[in-house]
Amino acid sequence: HVRSRRQRQMCIRDSSISVVGLPSGHNLSYIMANVSGQVAFNGLIGNGSITLTTTNLPKGIYIVKVSGEDFEKSYKLLKN
């Protein structure tokens, strides 16, 4: 019996971030906020990945939190 485990990763580019490898079909939602709690993005994830455009975000530290019924993962992002 071989178990396959999807690898979750965050890819950061100059103008966007992508979170891939998330479980699909689990009614996941995401929220991206700065450390002061101001929400920059939020929404639902339908296909196991999200891509967010960060071009207009001010410099700072952000947390991207993905959560669902039996899943929760947070990612820390520093925008220079």
Side-chain angles (χ1 to χ4, degrees):
H1 179 70
V2 177
R3 265 191 171 169
S4 174
R5 191 170 174 181
R6 291 181 83 172
Q7 184 175 358
R8 291 177 287 279
Q9 58 182 331
M10 178 182 243
C11 304
I12 302 171
R13 296 186 175 78
D14 289 337
S15 60
S16 67
I17 60 167
S18 297
V19 181
V20 297
L22 297 168
S24 55
H26 282 79
N27 296 324
L28 297 177
S29 62
Y30 68 89
I31 186 166
M32 180 176 177
N34 65 19
V35 291
S36 298
Q38 295 172 309
V39 175
F41 300 106
N42 63 12
L44 300 175
I45 302 170
N47 61 357
S49 67
I50 55 171
T51 299
L52 305 171
T53 302
T54 58
T55 305
N56 295 325
L57 284 179
K59 294 178 182 180
I61 299 171
Y62 294 86
I63 304 296
V64 178
K65 181 179 175 183
V66 178
S67 59
E69 284 181 31
D70 56 354
F71 180 86
E72 187 171 298
K73 178 74 177 169
S74 296
Y75 304 88
K76 191 174 189 180
L77 167 70
L78 173 63
K79 168 108 192 258
N80 291 336

